[in-house]
Amino acid sequence: MKPQVVRECAELHSVVKSLHLQNLRVGFVPTMGALHAGHISLVKESLKQSDWTIVSIFVNPTQFAPGEDFEKYPRTLENDLALLEEVNEKENIIVFTPSADEMYPKNFHSYVDVAGAALPLEGTFRPTHFRGVATVVLKLFNMTQADAAFFGQKDFQQVQVIRQFVRDLNVPIEIQMCPIIRETDGLAMSSRNRYLSPEARTRALCLSQSLEKAREMILRDGCRSRRVVDAAIRAILAHPNHSVDYVAIVDPVTLLPNEDDTIQLPAAILLAVRVDDTRLIDNLLIESEN
Ligand code: AMP
């Protein structure tokens, strides 16, 4: 069964109101569309835990800086709805896909100002990104009134930024992080993978491979952070069409490295790499020595 599609905030409001009047548990999965198995894993988790699941599909202009890929970002609504239809066995999925004018009408002037976990890493290279993310996510939380929202570890820093503003602003929603879904060869699934030529797609394996190598180094000899990071950067830059925005080993909550260059577990290794013109991110959590 095709999921019910809602395009306007007012309609979403009345749908959500009726779900709450029936005391039903609502799960929410925010996406920018171009859905793949990674997104669907979040939807499945929400379906497992909720009576109804709202999936938003919205390419949010405020999280893209000028010169980024907002215009060329893939928009594949028909295909997205077909993928959601496959998991809509209980007919309890609602797709909310508003226009940009619906989300940001004329005279829109209010944004969520995020600092802390939003400042390092992605924050350094995309300084306005998390402000746009936090703003649209808070708007969507308010509109969906969901009990829980499901995010992918693929965007690990994003999850921490969202957890931070939910805590700071007392937003009544539970944030759940789901594992990264990878292709069989290890490449993290991403809507942006479709920008890669077949040859670049093979080279993009350097992200997941250098994360695995870093994990081995840390667990084998508890290396200094600098040594592990340098080894990863060297491996990635072995190809002239690659560049590295960052490779970092950080505390999973603050997203900051230890000042003394030691690696304390749990730790998160995060990287952002350009393969030709495509910027990809990936990460890995090391919980403990086992
Ligand atoms: P996006 O459409 O890229 O904004 O992503 C929407 C949600 O899907 C975010 O919570 C992402 O972290 C999550 N997501 C994207 N790729 C993956 C993946 N490979 N595995 C798990 N979750 C993912």
Side-chain angles (χ1 to χ4, degrees):
M1 183 74 176
K2 278 235 151 61
Q4 179 186 348
V5 177
V6 173
R7 293 176 189 274
E8 285 169 11
C9 302
E11 187 188 352
L12 183 67
H13 182 71
S14 65
V15 171
V16 162
K17 203 165 163 190
S18 114
L19 296 179
H20 279 287
L21 281 174
Q22 298 168 71
N23 239 335
L24 295 168
R25 184 174 165 86
V26 176
F28 174 46
V29 180
T31 82
M32 297 205 298
L35 301 186
H36 51 65
H39 299 108
I40 299 300
S41 73
L42 307 182
V43 175
K44 285 184 176 162
E45 191 54 39
S46 173
L47 288 170
K48 221 187 278 173
Q49 297 187 29
S50 328
D51 298 308
W52 279 80
T53 291
I54 302 176
V55 180
S56 64
I57 297 179
F58 179 60
V59 185
N60 174 37
T62 65
Q63 70 190 68
F64 290 81
E68 292 187 348
D69 57 343
F70 174 69
E71 279 84 16
K72 79 163 182 177
Y73 198 85
R75 288 151 171 96
T76 60
L77 184 62
E78 280 315 307
N79 192 55
D80 295 348
L81 295 176
L83 285 178
L84 290 169
E85 185 174 354
E86 286 174 25
V87 291
N88 193 25
E89 287 143 22
K90 295 196 180 146
E91 299 180 21
N92 57 353
I93 297 180
I94 295 163
V95 173
F96 179 52
T97 181
S99 67
D101 287 343
E102 184 72 9
M103 290 297 278
Y104 299 106
K106 239 171 108 194
N107 297 324
F108 179 92
H109 296 300
S110 308
Y111 291 85
V112 181
D113 179 9
V114 279
L119 296 181
L121 308 173
E122 288 296 294
T124 312
F125 290 88
R126 305 180 74 192
T128 57
H129 174 64
F130 284 128
R131 177 189 196 241
V133 169
T135 301
V136 79
V137 167
L138 183 61
K139 281 169 69 69
L140 291 165
F141 284 175
N142 286 334
M143 289 180 207
T144 59
Q145 298 281 307
D147 298 282
F150 298 81
F151 292 88
Q153 185 196 316
K154 165 77 185 358
D155 298 87
F156 181 74
Q157 187 175 8
Q158 170 175 280
V159 180
Q160 298 308 57
V161 170
I162 289 165
R163 283 186 169 144
Q164 178 183 271
F165 83 69
V166 160
R167 190 192 59 227
D168 291 347
L169 303 179
N170 306 87
V171 185
I173 194 165
E174 191 186 311
I175 304 300
Q176 298 204 20
M177 184 170 80
C178 304
I180 303 177
I181 304 300
R182 296 178 180 280
E183 305 284 358
T184 45
D185 58 7
L187 181 69
M189 289 191 183
S190 164
S191 307
R192 290 185 168 101
N193 289 349
R194 67 185 73 199
Y195 298 154
L196 299 165
S197 69
E199 185 264 332
R201 159 74 183 70
T202 308
R203 282 190 275 114
L205 288 177
C206 68
L207 279 87
S208 55
Q209 286 170 352
S210 46
L211 286 172
E212 274 307 325
K213 193 76 169 276
R215 189 217 304 263
E216 275 169 35
M217 280 177 83
I218 293 168
L219 294 180
R220 196 184 52 224
D221 18 83
C223 282
R224 297 253 152 206
S225 184
R226 196 65 253 164
R227 255 193 76 202
V228 182
V229 167
D230 285 349
I233 292 177
R234 265 198 312 277
I236 294 164
L237 294 183
H239 196 282
N241 289 359
H242 296 177
S243 65
V244 172
D245 275 0
Y246 58 81
V247 175
I249 302 174
V250 298
D251 176 278
V253 175
T254 63
L255 280 304
L256 295 173
N258 282 334
E259 277 179 13
D260 63 0
D261 199 39
T262 59
I263 300 171
Q264 317 259 328
L265 302 186
I269 316 176
L270 297 99
L271 44 79
V273 172
R274 277 172 213 276
V275 174
D276 299 347
D277 291 331
T278 302
R279 187 175 188 276
L280 300 174
I281 57 171
D282 199 350
N283 69 83
L284 191 138
L285 284 177
I286 309 181
E287 308 283 353
S288 74
E289 311 265 336
N290 316 309

